[in-house]
Amino acid sequence: MQINIQFVQMPTSETMEGYVHEKLNKLFKKYDWIIKSDVFFKKENDPKGKGKICDVELSLPGPKLYATSNEKNFESAFKETLSDLERQLKKRKQEMKPYI
């Protein structure tokens, strides 16, 4: 399993990278057919107080899964994105047909 984390036009954060690796590894143990994940953290000037954007793209057999969220901090943005992806993965797992 390969995890790529990019911080777009901002400094990298070791603690955030550790948090992302921990949460994605749990997801990979549950869904072992995930090939790779790309995580992007972006900062946007937003007058409403949000502006911390997290995009996650999962490569797996079939079409890629993608989710994004915009929250007040990166941790909650990642949590929201991850819950969206889990919902999509559950749906994809139900559609998969076992080969006998």
Side-chain angles (χ1 to χ4, degrees):
M1 168 62 332
Q2 184 182 6
I3 301 172
N4 297 325
I5 302 171
Q6 291 184 0
F7 293 87
V8 181
Q9 296 180 348
M10 55 183 279
T12 60
S13 168
E14 294 291 323
T15 54
M16 198 63 207
E17 283 187 26
Y19 179 74
V20 169
H21 278 279
E22 177 189 329
K23 294 294 182 183
L24 285 178
N25 282 330
K26 285 182 185 177
L27 192 68
F28 299 146
K29 285 178 185 165
K30 196 172 183 181
Y31 303 99
D32 59 348
W33 34 275
I34 298 172
I35 300 165
K36 147 183 146 171
S37 68
D38 295 310
V39 182
F40 300 95
F41 290 105
K42 303 173 189 171
K43 198 181 235 182
E44 197 174 77
N45 293 330
D46 190 1
K48 295 176 185 158
K50 293 188 178 182
K52 307 289 194 284
I53 300 170
C54 177
D55 300 335
V56 179
E57 184 178 281
L58 294 179
S59 298
L60 32 111
K64 292 181 178 181
L65 295 182
Y66 178 79
T68 185
S69 63
N70 185 356
E71 296 292 330
K72 290 183 180 179
N73 61 37
F74 287 117
E75 191 174 312
S76 60
F78 181 72
K79 280 183 186 175
E80 184 68 30
T81 305
L82 202 62
S83 69
D84 290 348
L85 283 171
E86 266 200 275
R87 211 172 303 120
Q88 292 179 43
L89 283 166
K90 283 179 188 173
K91 193 181 284 187
R92 175 75 63 89
K93 191 172 185 177
Q94 290 174 351
E95 293 171 0
M96 292 176 87
K97 295 183 176 98
Y99 291 101
I100 299 174

